[in-house]
Amino acid sequence: MRLRLLCCVLASATLSWMSSRPARAGDRDAGARLARESCAACHALHTGDKDEWGPSLVGIVDRPVGTEDGYRYASFLRQQSATGATWTDARLRVWLGDSKAVAKAAGARTKMPAQNLSEAQLDALLAYLRTL
């Protein structure tokens, strides 16, 4: 229990620190291609698209965590939602960088597969997600 609490506190502090850093520029077109190749199988990328496994990514940037209607979130994402956490660039960068590790650090699991994205890919994907 203490280890889980420590991991959550450290993750929160890291996200707070990262959110104070300026956003990186990315190639939006490359991000769109990456989203179509890696995200669209599970997530809606356009209003009206059907979600297969995960919540819609439309409007994800700055959306409160765990609030997409009709999607059943993991308990640790519901807990983050209760704290008022939002999907900032920094939080998305950490999550997309290694969702499995983030979930594991919180003592939880996620259906989302590990993405193993490079910094350049994360920059591009975030540039695209900001346009949705």
Side-chain angles (χ1 to χ4, degrees):
M1 181 66 176
R2 286 182 181 175
L3 179 59
R4 183 181 299 171
L5 179 61
L6 177 62
C7 288
C8 289
V9 168
L10 289 174
S12 178
T14 300
L15 288 170
S16 294
W17 171 77
M18 288 182 72
S19 65
S20 67
R21 296 171 44 198
R24 298 177 190 165
D27 179 350
R28 187 185 74 209
D29 293 336
R33 282 189 302 277
L34 183 59
R36 283 192 305 272
E37 294 166 3
S38 300
C39 308
C42 299
H43 299 277
L45 299 177
H46 306 299
T47 302
D49 285 356
K50 184 178 185 303
D51 302 330
E52 294 298 326
W53 293 99
S56 172
L57 297 181
V58 176
I60 188 72
V61 177
D62 295 325
R63 179 195 304 157
V65 172
T67 58
E68 178 72 15
D69 287 339
Y71 185 74
R72 185 172 173 260
Y73 288 90
S75 62
F76 79 102
L77 290 173
R78 290 193 307 267
Q79 290 167 351
Q80 287 187 19
S81 177
T83 69
T86 59
W87 286 117
T88 61
D89 278 13
R91 188 177 299 275
L92 283 165
R93 181 174 292 280
V94 171
W95 177 253
L96 294 171
D98 195 345
S99 58
K100 294 286 187 195
V102 173
K104 187 175 181 178
R109 297 162 90 178
T110 179
K111 291 183 280 187
M112 187 167 153
Q115 298 303 309
N116 301 315
L117 301 175
S118 69
E119 287 297 315
Q121 288 173 314
L122 284 168
D123 291 342
L125 185 56
L126 287 170
Y128 173 68
L129 291 177
R130 284 186 216 102
T131 69
L132 299 182

